[in-house]
Amino acid sequence: MKIVFATNNAHKLQEVQQVLGSEFELITLRDCGVTEDIPENEPTLEGNALAKARYIYQRTGYDCFADDTGLEVDALGGEPGVRSARYATDGHDDQANKRLLLERLEGKENREAQFRTAVALILGGEEYLFEGVVRGEITTSERGEGGFGYDPLFVPEGYDKTFAELSAEEKNAISHRGRAVRKLAEFLKK
Ligand code: ITT
């Protein structure tokens, strides 16, 4: 099955292709000739995922899905959440975002957090939502070279390594995105 994955993030594309396997052929935005930035101004992950999928569906007419992900930190009242990409600056500055997160958690005992992914699917014009969550804790410094974004700061529950220290397979098996995308795959296979 061929389907468009509405993302500009090459790491996400790789993770999702790995979870979906060769039964699914992911078409990228570049493949569809979409080079402009897709607006992500909604107040929720679900809203942003739907906005991205709707934009691509209206622009191309292809069945498609999009993911929006946030890191929700308990002691920060769920921040950075839907603002995870633009936490420190309006740009997409991973280093600045991680620095700010560590700063805001300085001296805080509760470092519990979760990654949450909302996946929006548009299939034959109908809209569907899937969610994936993984609980864990924020470290006090960065560890590991793998993954992307906040991965070097997140230790999933039951593990002592950060997502950036786990292999891609290990991360996918338990991650927010892995969980949401497996739900998507089960639905698409039906
Ligand atoms: P698209 O909107 O093009 O899909 P994006 O990189 O903007 O890509 P998000 O808005 O979903 O993706 O990402 C929000 C932020 O959360 C951003 O800073 C990412 O680096 C980070 N993030 C997303 N998924 C992550 C993951 O699995 N591990 C660590 N950080 C992640």
Side-chain angles (χ1 to χ4, degrees):
M1 178 181 184
K2 282 188 180 185
I3 189 158
V4 177
F5 180 25
T7 184
N8 282 310
N9 183 322
H11 298 281
K12 281 189 184 179
L13 194 68
Q14 212 172 17
E15 286 188 7
V16 169
Q17 184 68 73
Q18 202 168 50
V19 173
L20 290 177
S22 51
E23 255 177 272
F24 294 88
E25 188 185 329
L26 291 182
I27 312 206
T28 64
L29 292 181
R30 201 184 309 148
D31 296 335
C32 322
V34 177
T35 51
E36 68 270 26
D37 270 346
I38 306 175
E40 289 185 53
N41 302 319
E42 300 300 320
T44 61
L45 297 176
E46 286 77 8
N48 273 337
L50 268 172
K52 287 190 254 187
R54 280 180 190 148
Y55 182 95
I56 294 308
Y57 184 67
Q58 280 159 15
R59 172 94 153 61
T60 69
Y62 294 137
D63 290 334
C64 62
F65 68 94
D67 121 358
D68 199 37
T69 294
L71 177 61
E72 301 173 334
V73 181
D74 293 5
L76 303 177
E79 283 210 345
V82 72
R83 298 190 57 255
S84 293
R86 289 154 285 142
Y87 191 34
T89 68
D90 265 349
H92 208 125
D93 187 340
D94 280 348
Q95 288 308 330
N97 287 339
K98 285 182 284 186
R99 254 196 324 269
L100 180 62
L101 179 64
L102 289 178
E103 244 171 66
R104 295 260 160 101
L105 281 178
E106 243 168 61
K108 296 233 191 311
E109 229 164 76
N110 179 1
R111 303 184 73 91
E112 284 186 40
Q114 63 184 27
F115 271 118
R116 195 162 73 82
T117 290
V119 167
L121 166 70
I122 303 187
L123 188 69
E126 296 288 324
E127 297 180 345
Y128 306 87
L129 279 170
F130 306 90
E131 185 190 56
V133 176
V134 59
R135 297 280 310 166
E137 280 196 3
I138 306 299
T139 54
T140 50
S141 60
E142 291 191 40
R143 289 184 351 228
E145 304 294 328
F148 67 99
Y150 296 91
D151 279 346
L153 295 179
F154 185 85
V155 174
E157 211 165 60
Y159 288 71
D160 54 16
K161 290 181 177 171
T162 68
F163 266 159
E165 292 174 308
L166 295 176
S167 68
E169 291 76 17
E170 286 170 316
K171 180 186 171 190
N172 265 334
I174 56 168
S175 78
H176 44 301
R177 184 166 300 102
R179 286 178 173 154
V181 171
R182 276 190 292 276
K183 289 183 192 170
L184 168 76
E186 274 168 36
F187 177 84
L188 289 173
K189 284 179 192 170
K190 270 200 229 141

